[in-house]
């Protein structure tokens, strides 16, 4: 007998129901106001702090730009006047060296000044320390590397990629020196980036845990308080942090800006946000980005006391609310417990009545062998000849002992496998009754994880098994016909289960025999189709037309591999027009599909590099222009032609040239976004499609990145080749709206770049 708890009037006496809604509303409004005030205060503090960061970044960038401008202006004066006088014999080498020393002393960021005449000995400022010796060696390398490029310039300067090594942080300027119309040599200025950057970023006030750093246009870290990351690329350092990589990308494309990102603090494993501000400057072809970052706590530390008071108030109101709710639900739970006890008693009576009249045995037992019984219905007496109490008391050592010895292992494996996969099981096996006779039974069960047990249903199917035995002889005649057929022949139910199949059908799906195929494949859509929705499409066709011919879909083998198949199926209907069975045959058409795919690829892609060919390029360019026209965006076309590539073919032959072209295609592909397209249109000519570009500066960054990707030499056999690239650029819709015109303009610009000295780009 279940006793109902004594009724309590505490809730109804002391806390009227009409107070619940006002209390909830007050708590909700108070919590909302607290959160809103905190959010507004934090946003204001972050905005002010970020504006201060942006101003500091701009001041540092402006100072760097002025300092670099002074260096360039001073170097230009040396090249145009003092060195020209030296070449003309108006000044001695000693006076030039003395002048170099003066310049080196005036500009504290200068490490070395070197002049390499077109003919004769070089003049260099003092190299009386290991650091100056390293600077001198780097100056010689740059002079040799850029001699041909600088000698073709009348004015301006070249900025090589900075040298960032251990304790070496050098940038440089290379200027041509002309005496009238005669090229006379190269003036090289080595700049100590460590002195230059530390002078401006070191004194900044950027918070307790803030940092300042400088990166170049390729993302390489030129300065950071954490010296161990200097020289590394930010995209490599920040791999896996998508929001931080987005800010890095903005830094390289936007002149100035601010942003924020989340990170996990190693000290105590909590998540914080960092506020970032940056400003960019140009140093010839080189871009420098000055960035400052600080944790959000540096900006919002002044709000800590206010937040603590608001949090305490919110916690107090929340505790009050939960106390009210607790008393309310305590009262309700007492009422529900009484009601549930009545329902459970009623359900127990109903269950006993159902179990006693069910056609089979209902049970509950342990989930591990020997499957000790917790409950078993009275129908067990009719199936086994034993009373239910014998199984529950354990005198008859469990129902499992009645299973035929030859069937025990199979039953145990099926149960353990299905329960291990957390799905229901079903199995047919033999048992031995109390009188010694054998009976066939069907069992289906499922696990109850919360009770560490399983429940199931056992049905005597001996009569059905006898009928199946009578039909076996007739089926053998049919099986002999389909077993040796070269096609997969099968029958299925409308619900998606195979009724029969021949050996070829089982072999198609990777099974050793039709029996294993039929027993293991329980759901055709899930087990046989690579895309289960294809099975639904097939059933729709059969439901509408009653048959289908040459239905093609990708099928799935037992090992997970796939193949293409063609099915021809006829639906068999009963007298009411309902589909009761489907007969058909299946043929493997993978070889034909593979041939079709090969022909398609040959038609759309370059056979050597795997890049889109001219046909696919025209289609993607048409789509890009249409997209840009709809969204009022710009598209850039970069027409690229390799410089000095003919030398490889002439010396080593076309096979070596093909190897270089594959390497070039890989380097070019690494310079693009996933939305961009790279195509090889023949020989050593490539075309790039850059979608959704904003300014010319963005296009120039990509063009320079492509040029920089060719700076590394190509090793072909035992020889080393240096190959450049000349790029012509046209922009939609600035240069036109028709693709033929845009390609022609880009082609003409490419020749313009070649005429300007190669290994560059032009619009």
């Amino acid at each position: 007998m279940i006793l109902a708890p004594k009724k309590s009037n505490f809730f109804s006496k002391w806390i009227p129901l009409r107070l619940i809604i006002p209390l909830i509303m007050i708590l909700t409004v108070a919590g909302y106001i607290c959160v809103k005030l905190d959010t507004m205060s934090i946003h204001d503090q972050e905005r002010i702090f970020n504006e201060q960061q942006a101003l500091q970044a701009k001041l540092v960038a402006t100072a760097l730009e002025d300092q670099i401008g002074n260096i360039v202006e001073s170097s230009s004066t040396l090249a145009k006047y003092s060195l020209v006088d030296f070449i003309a014999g108006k000044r001695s080498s000693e006076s030039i060296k003395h002048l170099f020393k003066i310049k080196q002393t005036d500009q504290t960021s200068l490490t070395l000044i070197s002049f390499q005449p077109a003919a004769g000995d070089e003049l260099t400022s003092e190299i009386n320390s290991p650091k100056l010796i390293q600077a001198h060696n780097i100056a010689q390398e740059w002079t040799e590397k850029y001699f041909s490029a600088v000698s073709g310039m009348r004015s301006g300067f070249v900025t090589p990629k900075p040298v960032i090594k251990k304790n070496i942080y050098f940038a440089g300027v290379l200027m041509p020196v002309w005496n009238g119309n005669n090229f006379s040599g190269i003036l090289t200025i080595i700049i100590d980036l460590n002195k230059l950057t530390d002078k401006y970023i070191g004194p900044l006030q950027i918070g307790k845990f803030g940092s300042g750093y400088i990166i170049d246009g390729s993302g390489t870290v030129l300065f950071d308080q954490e010296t161990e990351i200097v020289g590394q690329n930010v995209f490599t350092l920040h791999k896996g942090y998508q929001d931080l990589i987005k800010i890095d990308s903005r830094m390289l494309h936007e002149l100035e800006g601010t942003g924020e990102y989340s990170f996990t603090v190693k000290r105590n494993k909590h998540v914080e946000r960092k506020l970032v501000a940056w400003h960019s400057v140009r140093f010839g072809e080189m871009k420098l980005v000055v960035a400052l970052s600080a944790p959000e706590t540096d900006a919002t530390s002044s709000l800590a006391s206010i937040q603590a008071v608001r949090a305490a108030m919110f916690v107090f109101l929340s505790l009050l609310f939960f106390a009210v709710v607790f008393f309310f639900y305590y009262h309700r739970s007492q009422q529900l417990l009484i009601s549930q006890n009545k329902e459970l008693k009623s359900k127990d009576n109903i269950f006993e009545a159902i179990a006693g009249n069910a056609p089979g045995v209902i049970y509950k037992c342990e989930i591990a062998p020997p499957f000790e019984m917790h409950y078993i219905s009275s129908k067990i007496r009719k199936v086994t000849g034993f009373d239910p109490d014998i199984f529950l008391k354990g005198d008859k050592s469990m129902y499992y002992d009645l299973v035929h010895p030859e069937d025990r292992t199979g039953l145990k494996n099926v149960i353990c496998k299905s329960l291990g996969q957390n799905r229901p099981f079903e199995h047919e096996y033999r048992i031995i009754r109390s009188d010694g006779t054998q009976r066939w039974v069907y069992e289906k069960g499922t696990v109850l994880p919360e009770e560490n047990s399983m429940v199931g249903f056992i049905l005597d199917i001996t009569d059905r098994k006898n009928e199946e035995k009578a039909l076996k002889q007739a089926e053998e005649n049919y099986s002999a016909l389909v077993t040796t057929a070269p096609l997969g022949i099968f029958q299925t139910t409308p619900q998606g289960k195979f009724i029969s199949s021949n050996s070829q059908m089982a072999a198609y799906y990777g099974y050793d025999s039709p029996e294993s195929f039929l027993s293991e494949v329980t759901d055709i859509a899930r087990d046989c189709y690579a895309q289960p929705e294809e099975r639904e499409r097939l059933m729709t066709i059969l439901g509408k037309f009653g048959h289908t011919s040459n239905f093609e879909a990708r099928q799935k083998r037992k090992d997970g591999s796939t193949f293409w198949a063609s099915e021809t199926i006829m639906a068999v209907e009963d007298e009411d027009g309902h589909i009761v069975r489907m007969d058909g045959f299946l043929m493997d058409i993978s070889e034909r599909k593979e041939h079709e795919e090969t022909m398609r690829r040959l038609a759309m892609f370059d056979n050597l590099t795997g890049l889109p060919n001219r046909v696919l390029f025209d289609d993607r360019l048409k789509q890009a222009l249409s997209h840009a026209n709809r969204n009022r965006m710009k598209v850039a076309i970069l027409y690229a032609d390799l410089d000095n590539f003919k030398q490889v073919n002439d010396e080593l032959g076309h096979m070596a040239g093909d190897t270089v072209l594959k390497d070039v295609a890989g380097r070019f592909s690494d310079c693009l976004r996933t939305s961009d397209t790279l195509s090889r249109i023949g020989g050593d000519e490539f075309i790039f499609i850059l979608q959704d570009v904003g300014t010319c500066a963005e296009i120039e960054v990509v063009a320079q990145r492509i040029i920089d990707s060719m700076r590394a030499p190509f090793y072909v056999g035992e020889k080393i080749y240096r190959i450049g690239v000349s790029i012509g650029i046209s922009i939609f819709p600035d240069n036109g709206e028709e693709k033929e015109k845009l390609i022609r303009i880009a082609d003409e610009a490419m020749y313009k770049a070649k005429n300007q000295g190669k290994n560059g780009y032009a619009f």
Side-chain angles (χ1 to χ4, degrees), residues 476-599:
E476 288 178 355
N477 296 332
Y478 171 76
S479 298
L481 295 175
V482 301
T483 299
T484 58
L487 301 175
I489 301 175
F490 61 87
Q491 291 180 321
T492 70
T493 66
Q495 292 74 29
K497 183 175 177 60
F498 282 108
I499 301 173
S500 66
S501 77
N502 65 347
S503 299
Q504 184 61 53
M505 187 71 175
Y508 278 152
Y509 289 94
Y511 292 87
D512 297 332
S513 64
E515 291 75 21
S516 62
F517 175 65
L518 294 176
S519 64
E520 295 184 36
V521 178
T522 58
D523 187 329
I524 296 176
R526 181 192 65 205
D527 299 335
C528 296
Y529 282 81
Q531 296 180 324
E533 57 268 19
E534 289 294 317
R535 175 72 179 178
E536 297 178 5
R537 187 165 65 89
L538 172 64
M539 294 302 298
T540 301
I541 296 174
L542 291 173
K544 185 174 183 179
F545 301 102
H547 64 88
T548 180
S549 298
N550 300 321
F551 179 83
E552 297 182 359
R554 187 179 289 277
Q555 306 289 323
K556 180 172 61 176
R557 296 188 182 92
K558 180 180 179 181
D559 60 5
S561 60
T562 62
F563 67 96
W564 278 95
S566 173
E567 296 180 84
T568 298
I569 301 176
M570 176 66 71
V572 179
E573 300 178 348
D574 59 14
E575 295 178 354
D576 298 327
H578 300 135
I579 298 177
V580 295
R581 190 181 75 249
M582 294 179 292
D583 301 339
F585 62 86
L586 178 143
M587 179 170 58
D588 188 341
I589 60 170
S590 299
E591 185 175 347
R592 192 194 81 195
K593 283 288 187 180
E594 183 178 351
H595 177 71
E596 292 174 354
E597 175 60 21
T598 300
M599 296 302 293

Side-chain angles (χ1 to χ4, degrees), residues 10-12 14-27 316-332:
F10 175 81
F11 187 83
S12 58
W14 299 102
I15 307 179
L17 288 175
R18 60 178 175 271
L19 292 180
I20 294 295
I21 294 178
L23 282 172
I24 293 175
M25 292 180 64
I26 292 172
L27 287 172
F316 171 76
L317 293 176
S318 299
L319 290 175
L320 177 63
F321 169 73
F322 284 117
V324 171
V325 173
F326 169 77
F327 283 113
F328 173 75
Y329 279 102
Y330 173 79
H331 177 76
R332 292 290 300 162

Side-chain angles (χ1 to χ4, degrees), residues 211-473:
S211 63
Y213 53 94
I214 297 178
I215 60 176
D216 66 7
S218 65
T220 301
V221 180
L222 302 183
F223 173 83
D224 196 286
Q225 281 90 343
E226 298 180 16
T227 57
E228 63 272 13
I229 70 172
V230 175
Q232 301 187 48
N233 192 280
V234 292
F235 293 104
T236 302
L237 291 170
H238 301 157
K239 184 178 181 180
Y241 300 90
Q242 293 300 322
D243 54 348
L244 184 50
I245 288 179
K246 289 179 181 178
I247 294 177
D248 294 335
S249 180
R250 287 180 58 199
M251 288 184 187
L252 298 181
H253 292 84
E254 298 178 8
L255 174 62
E256 59 182 305
T258 60
E260 64 276 337
Y261 66 93
S262 299
F263 68 103
T264 302
V265 181
K266 295 182 179 179
R267 299 186 297 275
N268 46 21
K269 303 296 185 182
H270 74 275
V271 177
E272 288 190 0
R273 291 172 62 246
K274 263 199 174 184
L275 308 176
V276 184
W278 68 88
H279 198 90
S280 302
V281 296
R282 299 293 301 191
F283 180 22
E285 297 179 355
M286 185 172 64
K287 180 180 182 179
L288 299 178
V289 180
V290 179
L292 303 177
S293 66
E296 181 187 34
T297 52
D298 285 351
T300 59
S301 58
S302 61
L303 298 176
S305 59
I306 299 176
Q307 290 176 333
V309 172
R310 292 173 182 164
M313 180 180 66
F314 185 72
V315 169
F316 171 76
L317 293 176
S318 299
L319 290 175
L320 177 63
F321 169 73
F322 284 117
V324 171
V325 173
F326 169 77
F327 283 113
F328 173 75
Y329 279 102
Y330 173 79
H331 177 76
R332 292 290 300 162
S333 65
Q334 298 302 310
Q335 302 300 320
L336 290 174
L337 182 60
I338 297 172
S339 175
Q340 289 173 356
N341 284 337
K342 292 180 180 179
E343 290 181 7
L344 286 174
K345 187 174 181 180
S346 175
K347 289 179 179 178
D348 286 343
N349 295 334
I350 295 173
F351 177 77
E352 288 296 337
I354 293 174
N357 292 279
V361 179
I362 299 173
Y363 70 87
K364 178 183 178 184
C365 68
E366 298 285 348
I367 61 174
F371 309 110
E372 181 179 352
M373 291 290 175
H374 297 169
Y375 170 83
I376 194 164
S377 65
S378 59
K379 273 293 192 301
I380 192 68
R381 183 184 299 107
K382 182 177 180 181
V383 176
T384 67
F386 293 100
D387 290 333
D389 292 342
I390 294 178
F391 298 99
L392 298 176
K393 293 178 180 179
D395 296 338
K396 182 70 179 174
S397 68
M398 316 311 163
Y399 171 82
Y400 186 68
D401 291 342
L402 298 182
V403 179
H404 195 285
E406 296 178 0
D407 296 346
R408 290 177 184 174
T409 301
L411 174 62
K412 182 173 68 174
N413 291 340
V414 168
I415 293 176
C416 293
K417 180 180 179 180
S418 298
L419 296 183
Q421 298 174 353
N422 196 26
R423 64 175 184 174
F425 71 90
E426 53 183 333
H427 192 58
E428 297 178 358
Y429 55 92
R430 295 167 293 174
I431 64 170
I432 300 176
R433 283 174 48 87
S434 59
D435 57 7
T437 59
Q438 295 184 9
R439 302 290 291 180
W440 277 95
V441 296
Y442 164 81
E443 181 178 352
K444 184 173 184 179
T446 187
V447 68
L448 298 175
E450 66 278 2
E451 299 184 19
N452 198 31
S453 61
M454 63 180 181
V455 296
F457 182 81
I458 300 172
L459 182 67
D460 189 331
I461 58 170
T462 305
D463 294 338
R464 194 197 80 190
K465 282 291 185 178
N466 292 335
E467 294 174 359
E468 291 176 353
K469 186 176 180 180
L471 293 173
K472 186 175 181 180
Q473 186 63 43

